[in-house]
Amino acid sequence: MPNPKRKHSPARRDSRRAANWKLETKTLSSCPQCGAMRLPHRVCASCGAYNGKIEVVRKEKKTDEQNPK
Ligand SMILES: [Zn+2]
């Protein structure tokens, strides 16, 4: 069986791998609550809503710690 005579160097291996990738744009969907673009199946970063529930994750503010609601 014919085989490569020498092992390829790490630089040759890495340059081959570096040539075969590209940046992909993340899939975005708009939030039904506030309309901001967010990742699907993620809590909205701008209003904190998820699956129709408002403020699943409370947005941290310094005023909220002192005066809750
Ligand atoms: Zn939102």
Side-chain angles (χ1 to χ4, degrees):
M1 286 284 281
N3 266 327
K5 194 164 256 180
R6 292 257 180 263
K7 180 180 184 174
H8 284 180
S9 67
R12 182 167 173 163
R13 176 204 62 202
D14 292 345
S15 70
R16 163 168 36 90
R17 289 178 187 173
N20 294 312
W21 70 281
K22 61 181 176 181
L23 291 173
E24 292 177 17
T25 52
K26 296 283 185 189
T27 308
L28 290 174
S29 61
S30 59
C31 174
Q33 292 292 332
C34 66
M37 298 305 279
R38 61 167 177 77
L39 294 172
H41 310 287
R42 299 291 192 282
V43 173
C44 176
S46 61
C47 70
Y50 185 74
N51 200 17
K53 300 174 197 128
I54 303 167
E55 256 189 287
V56 175
V57 175
R58 166 126 333 185
K59 305 265 293 177
E60 293 207 9
K61 291 173 186 172
K62 286 180 181 177
T63 53
D64 285 353
E65 293 170 11
Q66 293 167 346
N67 305 315
K69 281 197 174 179

